[in-house]
Amino acid sequence: MLHLSDVETAAAVVRPVIHHTPLMTCRTIEERLADGVSLRLKAENFQRTGAFKIRGAYYRMSQLTDAEKRCGVAAVSAGNHAQGVALAAQLLGIQATIFMPETASIAKMKATEGYGAEVVLAGKNFDESAIACHRYVAENDAVYISPYDDDGVIAGQGTLGLELLQDMPNVETVMIPIGGGGLFAGVAMAIKESRPHVRIIGVQAEGADTAARSFHAGHLLPREEPVSTICDGIAVKSPAARTFQYIQKYADDVVTVSDFAVAEAMLLLVERAKLVVEPSGAAGLAALLAGKADARGETAVILCGGNIDALRLADIAQREMLRADRYLHLFTACDDRPGSLARLLEVVATERGNVITVSHNRLSPHIALGKTRIELLIEVRDRSHREQILTALRGDGYPVETLL
């Protein structure tokens, strides 16, 4: 296993090319946590390429020999690792080839190409892309850059831990997302070897929880079923045997969070802290808000990335608004004659509901002749406001069906 000196060496190498990302506060979010918890958000979503991956990728590739650099590097990724490797390769003058599934996000593919890498779409999923990548590595003598199962990558990611200690010397609890375990391994080791008393809590999505189950079992467990979570940045079947050693040695606990909790944390970060993070980046905060983690005193949450496209962010936010009783989605009916829809909307306006969308369907087979089916999405303040609008509509004789 690596030592603190390995991370310190990595820090000297990567410091000139990375951003020293800020620690941020948000009083509104902190007030929702347990008494005595003082919250700091390590905003790695402000890192180059929008995530922490540049740290490990750059340091690993800086270790290559001249002969290895001439052969180029290859990686498989549909997201943050792809962009981290691409930028690191550009900075070091190395040709990078990134393999992505055919279903990869166009935005992420274009971002990776924008950093100078060649993108190869291969296979219908990550596993098939990985097969193609390893075949390319063998045929071209290229160097494979693992997203987490590599000492150089782990040491590079650990530089985040040194930054955290520099800016927050009295930290008592640190929340670290776990996918393959590279970020956790480096950061946890750097912090624990410097401040053994600091509590380190790993966080996984419920639908990709092998590290959590393995930690509590005391040994690495297999996972046969596919992962299923909105947290694509940590949607990994299993940590590596290498990274699991660090989880066993340095974690005080490893907890899981639901996708609903992650969506709630993402929306809260946008609205209250003005921070856009991807689902995996919100996992640590989600665990705190859900009461899953025994955090104490000065607590740091690592927002490990912010790469999410606008449409996906909007979809997650709107679904969470509906689930949190801040949207009212309903179906009703009104007479099929001029002015009827206006009278319906006047009831909503009187109750101070903000109509987001209106669908007017006079041909619906679910409605009586002479009636028009109406679908409304209304922004409301809270559950009591929601019920107020429903009561007013029903009181005026409108039949109402709701979603949720």
Side-chain angles (χ1 to χ4, degrees):
M1 297 178 69
L2 297 173
H3 301 284
L4 179 60
S5 59
D6 297 304
V7 180
E8 292 170 338
T9 298
V13 173
V14 306
R15 190 175 294 117
V17 300
I18 64 170
H19 296 323
H20 186 121
T21 52
L23 281 175
M24 307 186 73
T25 62
C26 181
R27 181 180 56 81
T28 304
I29 297 178
E30 186 175 274
E31 288 174 349
R32 297 182 55 170
L33 303 178
D35 290 343
V37 174
S38 175
L39 179 66
R40 297 293 182 273
L41 303 167
K42 177 63 171 171
E44 198 69 2
N45 53 316
F46 292 160
Q47 187 54 262
R48 298 183 73 172
T49 77
F52 69 94
K53 292 288 189 176
I54 180 64
R55 297 172 180 271
Y58 186 88
Y59 183 60
R60 172 66 183 93
M61 291 160 63
S62 73
Q63 298 175 311
L64 299 179
T65 65
D66 290 341
E68 288 173 326
K69 290 178 180 178
R70 286 192 293 272
C71 290
V73 299
V76 54
S77 169
N80 293 336
H81 182 57
Q83 294 173 62
V85 170
L87 177 57
Q90 182 186 76
L91 294 171
L92 290 164
I94 302 171
Q95 176 57 44
T97 304
I98 310 296
F99 288 77
M100 293 184 170
E102 296 165 357
T103 55
S105 158
I106 294 176
K108 292 179 180 179
M109 180 179 70
K110 292 299 183 183
T112 303
E113 290 177 333
Y115 291 119
E118 178 185 358
V119 172
V120 178
L121 299 180
K124 298 177 181 178
N125 53 46
F126 181 88
D127 291 339
E128 292 182 8
S129 293
I131 292 171
C133 179
H134 289 298
R135 184 186 305 122
Y136 172 88
V137 167
E139 293 173 352
N140 294 274
D141 292 327
V143 178
Y144 175 65
I145 306 298
S146 170
Y148 51 86
D149 192 13
D150 182 281
D151 284 345
V153 169
I154 291 171
Q157 317 302 28
T159 61
L160 191 157
L162 296 184
E163 274 185 25
L164 186 58
L165 291 178
Q166 179 182 338
D167 295 342
M168 197 175 176
N170 297 320
V171 64
E172 296 173 64
T173 306
V174 181
M175 310 289 296
I176 310 174
I178 298 178
L183 177 66
F184 183 94
V187 173
M189 183 267 289
I191 292 175
K192 280 285 195 180
E193 292 299 319
S194 302
R195 308 276 201 286
H197 67 278
V198 176
R199 286 178 54 75
I200 304 291
I201 300 175
V203 183
Q204 287 208 293
E206 288 180 353
D209 64 348
T210 302
R213 292 187 296 107
S214 299
F215 172 76
H216 292 290
H219 58 92
L220 190 56
L221 298 172
R223 184 184 181 95
E224 301 300 332
E225 64 274 20
V227 298
S228 178
T229 176
I230 64 170
C231 301
D232 50 351
I234 53 175
V236 178
K237 274 192 172 184
S238 174
R242 184 196 312 265
T243 56
F244 186 64
Q245 293 181 77
Y246 293 86
I247 295 171
Q248 281 187 303
K249 181 173 182 179
Y250 295 115
D252 291 283
D253 197 6
V254 181
V255 301
T256 62
V257 290
S258 70
D259 283 353
F260 288 127
V262 169
E264 178 185 9
M266 289 175 65
L267 185 59
L268 196 61
L269 284 165
V270 168
E271 291 189 323
R272 299 300 186 178
K274 315 308 176 189
L275 291 169
V276 174
V277 299
E278 61 192 85
S280 57
L285 180 60
L288 283 182
L289 293 170
K292 292 293 192 75
D294 181 19
R296 306 166 189 173
E298 293 196 19
T299 298
V301 172
I302 296 176
L303 307 179
C304 60
N307 289 320
I308 182 169
D309 63 63
L311 288 177
R312 186 154 186 255
L313 178 60
D315 178 63
I316 291 173
Q318 290 194 350
R319 288 170 183 260
E320 175 56 25
M321 292 275 282
L322 186 62
R323 194 184 72 86
D325 291 321
R326 292 179 54 195
Y327 275 168
L328 168 57
H329 190 184
L330 64 83
F331 296 90
T332 187
C334 64
D335 294 335
D336 188 10
R337 64 181 64 176
S340 293
L341 177 59
R343 285 192 291 274
L344 168 65
L345 296 178
E346 180 63 27
V347 175
V348 176
T350 299
E351 301 301 328
R352 312 305 297 172
N354 182 27
V355 176
I356 305 298
T357 60
V358 179
S359 175
H360 182 273
N361 183 4
R362 60 168 42 91
L363 299 179
S364 171
H366 305 292
I367 207 72
L369 293 174
K371 297 286 186 179
T372 296
R373 183 173 173 84
I374 307 296
E375 180 182 359
L376 295 177
L377 181 64
I378 305 167
E379 184 182 9
V380 297
R381 293 188 298 271
D382 50 30
R383 176 173 284 275
S384 64
H385 190 205
R386 177 182 188 274
E387 295 305 316
Q388 177 183 325
I389 293 174
L390 290 174
T391 299
L393 288 170
R394 289 169 178 146
D396 272 30
Y398 293 102
V400 179
E401 303 172 25
T402 62
L403 291 181
L404 289 182

